[in-house]
Amino acid sequence: MANQRRDAAIVGIHEYPLRVAPGRSAMQIKVESIKAALEDAGLKWSDVDAIYDTNDGEGGGGLGMAAYLGLSPTVIDTTAVGGSSYEFQAAHAFRDIAAGKANVAILSYGSTAASSRRAIGTGGATGVGLPNWQNNMEDPYGMITVGNYALVARRHMHEYGTTTRDLAEISIATRLHATRNPEAVKAMSDLQFVGTGEITVEDVLESRMIADPLHLLECCMQSDGGGAVVIASADVARGTRKPPAWILGTGEATKYRQNGGDITTSAGAQSGPAAFAEAQVRPDEIDIAMIYDSFTITVAVCLEDLGFCKKGEIKDFVKDQRLRFDSPLKPTLNTDGGGLSSNHPGMRGIFLLLESVRQLRGESTSQVADARLAVAHGNGGALGGSHSGGTVILARD
Amino acid sequence: MPSRPQPRFPEPHTEPFWAAVKEGRLTYQQCTDCQTVVFTPRLVCTSCGSDRLPYRDSSGEGSIYTFTVVRQNRNPVFAEMGAYVLAWVDLDEGFRMLSNIVGAADPTRDISVGQRVRVEFEPQESGDYPIPVFRPIA
């Protein structure tokens, strides 16, 4: 792989440890995380010359963050495409650093979705903001986030014979990993999960139906939380405290409702192959798959679209508990406990990068032996409607 | 049944669609230049960019592409409605529309992918616009 790029790497990370953080604001979670991620990298405040931010409240964005932090970045980027924003931003930082426009980039996220009791999945807010070409066609029908994903799950089951038992394998593996992560265990406890231990197929089947065919144990939690990522040029990365996690390739794509379109295929079918081609690796070489688990169906569709198996074959792929960290087969899924069982404050994309890096450093609580290659794939927006897919492939030296 | 959220105006894209609904017509656009069917309403053709997109009347019949029975919605209107069927309906003219399927005694058993449905315009207790929903064709 002599031609693989080594232009930019993730050199600093921090995950805010709490999932219920009353009295903290989203901006405070972000800033604490940036500070800790820079310390993790061994870099100084003044080293930062590029800021990426979704502007998800509290006067952030590239401009607002620069003002708050007192920095004078040469690059700001306010890409906001939902939960995959951080994969898009990492892709942009990779490009900007490779082009010589920046040397040290920060991405950050903070949210108090749990403490402020925002209903992300089942809120169904209507009549908010100005009417537009989209909401005026949807508001009368009670579209909610979980319902949107359930539409995909139903169609997937119809076309390919996928069952809840198959999708439950995703919940089970993810929960196993959560039970090994003390922050995830505390999250489930603080958020008053009925149980915080391992779960079975029957547990998933018997959990409350939220929107057919999706059950409670197939839906992510709603937590507080956040984190930060530092991405640096090759020159900087050679001198940081921890081993660099090189960005080998990235892909970005959009998808939306189309007349006659196939909603069992996501934007990942475009972003995934682009990222693998740039990285010059194949899906079967990937050790760690950090896939956005808003719901089980999101993981199922995205694993197919990234090429880990063919479309419709997820039911066979997930067999024999292959997604567990101790399975001999690649890849291992969501070793931090995922959005299902560790952390989902609304936009989970940043955590996919964080746990990918922990695995490549050997720091995960469900460490996969000799993990060398990871893919972080975010899906933002709504899988059954307008959504974005962002893929980032990472490697250790 | 509680009234559903209404479309709100001014909103220039969707005004012609909802004006037709008020008259009991379900409409879509079709490109004069390349015949592509366009839905939801917009200014340009999604295939060729043409702005020649006249509205046409749909037969109002189609089939269910996919559906879900939503059990939990914190919006008070839908919470009061109880379990309701959310669906993408493929109309025979080739456009896909978000709507609700009504009239099933037990939506978890009586609704299926591919089922034939027909539009009806559900009157609302409050608000100017009836809402187009779909009912299985017996």
Side-chain angles (χ1 to χ4, degrees):
Chain A
M1 295 295 173
N3 296 324
Q4 274 183 344
R5 298 173 69 171
R6 291 286 192 275
D7 292 336
I10 298 180
V11 297
I13 54 170
H14 182 73
E15 180 165 347
Y16 193 77
L18 297 179
R19 313 299 194 258
V20 180
R24 268 287 184 256
S25 80
M27 182 63 105
Q28 289 176 320
I29 291 172
K30 290 166 74 139
V31 173
E32 281 184 43
S33 297
I34 291 169
K35 192 168 164 47
L38 283 169
E39 282 165 12
D40 181 60
L43 292 170
K44 298 192 302 292
W45 205 251
S46 56
D47 291 328
V48 176
D49 59 5
I51 297 175
Y52 301 76
D53 193 79
T54 63
N55 195 19
D56 57 328
E58 293 194 60
L63 177 56
M65 292 306 291
Y68 187 110
L69 302 173
L71 297 169
S72 301
T74 53
V75 174
I76 60 171
D77 177 312
T78 311
T79 298
V81 289
S84 61
S85 296
Y86 306 94
E87 280 68 46
F88 278 67
Q89 291 175 2
H92 300 172
F94 175 52
R95 282 205 307 250
D96 294 339
I97 288 169
K101 299 290 187 188
N103 282 302
V104 176
I106 53 172
L107 287 57
S108 66
Y109 174 48
S111 164
T112 56
S115 293
S116 56
R117 300 203 174 279
R118 266 167 48 207
I120 299 165
T122 57
T126 57
V128 177
L130 292 171
N132 63 43
W133 64 285
Q134 291 177 306
N135 63 22
N136 247 18
M137 301 299 288
E138 293 191 355
D139 281 357
Y141 300 114
M143 177 61 103
I144 56 174
T145 305
V146 57
N148 181 293
Y149 286 74
L151 293 171
V152 179
R154 172 77 64 192
R155 186 71 198 186
H156 202 281
M157 290 177 169
H158 174 79
E159 287 203 28
Y160 311 115
T162 317
T163 66
T164 298
R165 286 183 173 276
D166 303 323
L167 297 179
E169 295 295 337
I170 292 161
S171 302
I172 292 165
T174 308
R175 175 62 70 87
L176 166 68
H177 299 151
T179 63
R180 302 171 51 82
N181 176 357
E183 290 180 11
V185 172
K186 179 167 167 52
M188 293 189 284
S189 171
D190 287 353
L191 290 163
Q192 300 177 330
F193 274 39
V194 172
T196 61
E198 289 190 50
I199 53 175
T200 63
V201 171
E202 279 63 38
D203 290 331
V204 176
L205 286 167
E206 289 164 13
S207 66
R208 192 170 82 246
M209 191 71 91
I210 306 295
D212 302 53
L214 294 179
H215 302 72
L216 178 65
L217 288 178
E218 299 180 80
C219 302
C220 65
M221 62 169 70
Q222 291 180 191
S223 64
D224 297 341
V229 169
V230 182
I231 302 176
S233 62
D235 284 347
V236 174
R238 295 295 178 194
T240 49
R241 283 181 57 222
K242 301 278 182 71
W246 297 101
I247 299 177
L248 297 187
T250 65
E252 302 167 58
T254 54
K255 199 158 182 282
Y256 35 83
R257 182 205 58 83
Q258 290 170 302
N259 296 323
D262 169 19
I263 65 168
T264 68
T265 298
S266 76
Q270 182 181 334
S271 69
F276 281 109
E278 185 174 45
Q280 301 180 42
V281 298
R282 298 185 314 270
D284 62 15
E285 296 178 285
I286 295 286
D287 301 296
I288 307 297
M290 290 300 303
I291 310 291
Y292 200 118
D293 59 336
S294 42
F295 303 95
T296 50
I297 186 64
T298 323
V299 176
V301 164
C302 291
L303 283 172
E304 292 174 344
D305 290 341
L306 292 179
F308 288 103
C309 62
K310 291 194 180 124
K311 180 54 61 186
E313 294 185 357
I314 196 70
K315 60 180 184 291
D316 301 316
F317 188 76
V318 297
K319 280 201 170 94
D320 304 323
Q321 303 193 323
R322 80 172 283 160
L323 301 173
R324 297 166 55 112
F325 79 105
D326 53 0
S327 158
L329 297 174
K330 298 179 182 184
T332 295
L333 178 74
N334 294 351
T335 44
D336 60 341
L340 294 171
S341 295
S342 175
N343 205 349
H344 195 288
M347 298 197 291
R348 184 174 160 72
I350 200 162
F351 307 118
L352 307 175
L353 298 171
L354 297 178
E355 177 67 6
S356 294
V357 172
R358 283 191 291 254
Q359 281 284 354
L360 298 176
R361 288 177 175 181
E363 295 177 352
S364 173
T365 49
S366 290
Q367 184 62 43
V368 171
D370 201 34
R372 306 188 68 82
L373 278 170
V375 60
H377 178 74
N379 190 87
L383 189 66
S386 296
H387 67 265
S388 59
T391 311
V392 177
I393 295 173
L394 295 156
R396 75 176 202 208
D397 272 320
Chain B
M1 193 171 75
S3 293
R4 296 164 180 276
Q6 287 269 301
R8 295 171 296 141
F9 300 101
E11 201 298 298
H13 286 101
T14 53
E15 267 166 6
F17 173 86
W18 287 104
V21 165
K22 235 173 165 175
E23 297 169 2
R25 294 182 296 119
L26 186 72
T27 56
Y28 63 100
Q29 291 170 289
Q30 187 165 19
C31 178
T32 303
D33 293 310
C34 77
Q35 279 70 57
T36 295
V37 169
V38 174
F39 192 86
T40 59
R42 63 198 71 186
L43 278 185
V44 292
C45 172
T46 50
S47 286
C48 74
S50 168
D51 59 4
R52 299 204 295 165
L53 282 176
Y55 281 87
R56 302 188 184 286
D57 285 353
S58 165
S59 66
E61 291 190 11
S63 53
I64 296 175
Y65 174 70
T66 187
F67 73 98
T68 177
V69 184
V70 179
R71 316 293 184 90
Q72 185 173 332
N73 184 329
R74 296 199 201 177
N75 182 315
V77 173
F78 292 99
E80 199 177 320
M81 211 181 269
Y84 60 95
V85 182
L86 192 63
W88 288 119
V89 176
D90 279 344
L91 278 297
D92 290 349
E93 293 81 7
F95 66 99
R96 182 171 294 169
M97 179 177 170
L98 178 73
S99 190
N100 295 144
I101 310 297
V102 300
D106 179 354
T108 61
R109 298 175 57 164
D110 301 342
I111 304 293
S112 57
V113 171
Q115 196 170 13
R116 296 289 296 168
V117 292
R118 182 183 294 125
V119 74
E120 63 183 43
F121 298 90
E122 185 184 83
Q124 306 295 309
E125 279 179 24
S126 58
D128 294 337
Y129 293 87
I131 302 298
V133 296
F134 290 81
R135 183 181 295 269
I137 297 172

